[in-house]
Amino acid sequence: MYVLTIDQRGSSADVDRVPELISALRGLTTAPFERSVGDELQGVVEHAAEVVDIALHALRSGNWYVGIGIGTVQLVPGGSPREGSGSGFVAARKAVELAKGAAGQVPLSVVSGTMGRGREFPPQAREGAVSSANAQAVLRLIGRLVQQRTQAQWRVVDRLRASQGGEGRHGSQKLVAHELGITEQSVSRAVLRSGWQEEWAARPAAAMLLDYAHSQIVRSENEGAR
């Protein structure tokens, strides 16, 4: 399981955006997100691909710090994330704090939960930590593409995604051009400059790295608990 802790940036000088984001995330995952404390929300997500979707959606607006914790999770089925425990929650808290300190970088961090220390640090935990760092690097690269898009580029990208049922495959540029009242050349330029194709080519890589990190970290913690 993955724990996501997402905190609003500059909340003291802005409106409360937590309800808006919680509502938007219902279209991306069945995992419930809820306010944890202040202008922060939290959720426990089962699938790595959904973690990628959620993280990039939050980064799009530039209003959020995103912390992704990977580790064990103890949560009653249907229970509130606020009632959960486990290394995944500890890792998510550390991740969001690191995201806040990532000056000049994309405000996202991925942290692994581990039980080993020093010489007792098991190889699976090391593998999980390395994969977590690699996942963070890929997500920050994609996040940079997402955050640098103009509104005009987003209009094209959103229409292309909608024309393919929300997936990242190529949509009909001719159809989108007609719907938006612009030329096919304008659509093509927007796709090229937005990095849309690169984003969707890299999303599975980020999910794969998260998934591998999760498998190694949980394996390490399960073995350490014996």
Side-chain angles (χ1 to χ4, degrees), residues 16 32 40 43 48 55 79 96 117 123 136 175 206-207 216:
D16 181 5
E40 178 183 278
V96 78
R117 292 291 184 274
Q136 174 181 285
L175 176 61
Q216 294 302 300

Side-chain angles (χ1 to χ4, degrees), residues 2 25 48 58 63 77 84 144 194:
Y2 307 88
L25 294 184
N63 293 320
R144 182 71 69 188
S194 70

Side-chain angles (χ1 to χ4, degrees), residues 148-225:
Q148 290 180 342
R149 280 186 193 138
T150 66
Q151 289 300 315
Q153 290 168 355
W154 273 116
R155 287 178 64 214
V156 171
V157 168
D158 287 339
R159 287 308 306 157
L160 285 169
R161 291 186 62 184
S163 71
Q164 294 294 342
E167 299 181 9
R169 302 190 302 272
H170 294 290
S172 170
Q173 294 189 13
K174 183 176 182 179
L175 176 61
V176 169
H178 176 73
E179 291 177 346
L180 296 179
I182 58 179
T183 65
E184 289 183 57
Q185 290 80 4
S186 295
V187 172
S188 181
R189 282 196 300 270
V191 170
L192 179 64
R193 293 173 181 173
S194 70
W196 183 66
Q197 295 171 359
E198 291 81 0
E199 174 197 338
W200 281 90
R203 277 174 174 252
M208 180 182 68
L209 288 165
L210 289 171
D211 188 57
Y212 182 70
H214 181 271
S215 68
Q216 294 302 300
I217 292 162
V218 172
R219 179 183 173 189
S220 171
E221 294 196 340
N222 287 340
E223 291 182 357

Side-chain angles (χ1 to χ4, degrees), residues 7-218:
D7 195 14
Q8 186 174 338
R9 302 176 70 181
S11 57
S12 60
D14 197 2
V15 298
D16 181 5
R17 298 182 182 275
V18 171
E20 177 185 358
L21 183 58
I22 289 176
S23 178
L25 294 184
R26 294 192 186 106
L28 300 177
T29 178
T30 57
F33 274 75
E34 61 182 37
R35 189 189 299 271
S36 50
V37 60
D39 295 312
E40 178 183 278
L41 59 151
Q42 190 171 64
V44 179
V45 180
E46 183 175 359
H47 302 293
E50 289 187 2
V51 174
V52 174
D53 287 343
I54 293 164
L56 294 179
H57 179 86
L59 290 175
R60 171 175 175 169
S61 68
N63 293 320
W64 303 97
Y65 299 104
V66 180
I68 302 171
I70 308 177
T72 55
V73 171
Q74 287 82 48
L75 185 65
V76 176
S80 166
R82 288 177 296 180
E83 301 169 348
S85 61
S87 65
F89 286 94
V90 177
R93 170 55 52 198
K94 182 177 180 181
V96 78
E97 293 303 324
L98 288 173
K100 292 177 184 178
Q105 301 184 59
V106 174
L108 173 147
S109 289
V110 181
V111 172
S112 63
T114 57
M115 294 184 69
R117 292 291 184 274
R119 293 182 180 178
E120 301 301 320
F121 203 71
Q124 295 89 353
R126 288 196 295 271
E127 283 286 312
V130 170
S131 189
S132 295
N134 290 337
Q136 174 181 285
V138 174
L139 284 169
R140 283 184 174 180
L141 281 172
I142 307 172
R144 182 71 69 188
L145 290 175
V146 168
Q147 289 192 323
Q148 290 180 342
R149 280 186 193 138
T150 66
Q151 289 300 315
Q153 290 168 355
W154 273 116
R155 287 178 64 214
V156 171
V157 168
D158 287 339
R159 287 308 306 157
L160 285 169
R161 291 186 62 184
S163 71
Q164 294 294 342
E167 299 181 9
R169 302 190 302 272
H170 294 290
S172 170
Q173 294 189 13
K174 183 176 182 179
L175 176 61
V176 169
H178 176 73
E179 291 177 346
L180 296 179
I182 58 179
T183 65
E184 289 183 57
Q185 290 80 4
S186 295
V187 172
S188 181
R189 282 196 300 270
V191 170
L192 179 64
R193 293 173 181 173
S194 70
W196 183 66
Q197 295 171 359
E198 291 81 0
E199 174 197 338
W200 281 90
R203 277 174 174 252
M208 180 182 68
L209 288 165
L210 289 171
D211 188 57
Y212 182 70
H214 181 271
S215 68
Q216 294 302 300
I217 292 162
V218 172

